[in-house]
Amino acid sequence: PVPGKVYSIRFYQDATGSRTFAAFPAAYKFPSGTAPTFSTAANAWDFMSAQWGSTNKTTFACSFLKGMA
């Protein structure tokens, strides 16, 4: 990763839905220290933005939007 760079990621469910994600690696940090849960409805999608630390080059500071339409 590039220090200070922001990465945008979309997570899509397929037409069946109910897919799960086990866990984020420890380098991904979320508000209040709690990793998000993904949408599980068929064809749903979620959006995550992650910035690699510009001074602390060991973590991604992440924000997550669930249930985009």
Side-chain angles (χ1 to χ4, degrees), residues 14 16 38 64:
D14 61 15
T16 302
F38 288 87
F64 189 83

Side-chain angles (χ1 to χ4, degrees), residues 30-49:
F30 294 91
S32 73
T34 304
T37 56
F38 288 87
S39 298
T40 57
N43 300 310
W45 62 279
D46 302 323
F47 180 82
M48 185 174 86
S49 179

Side-chain angles (χ1 to χ4, degrees), residues 20-66:
T20 60
F21 186 78
F24 283 94
Y28 290 77
K29 305 298 182 190
F30 294 91
S32 73
T34 304
T37 56
F38 288 87
S39 298
T40 57
N43 300 310
W45 62 279
D46 302 323
F47 180 82
M48 185 174 86
S49 179
Q51 181 179 29
W52 185 248
S54 57
T55 56
N56 178 357
K57 296 176 181 73
T58 60
T59 61
F60 282 101
C62 302
S63 62
F64 189 83
L65 297 171
K66 183 176 180 177

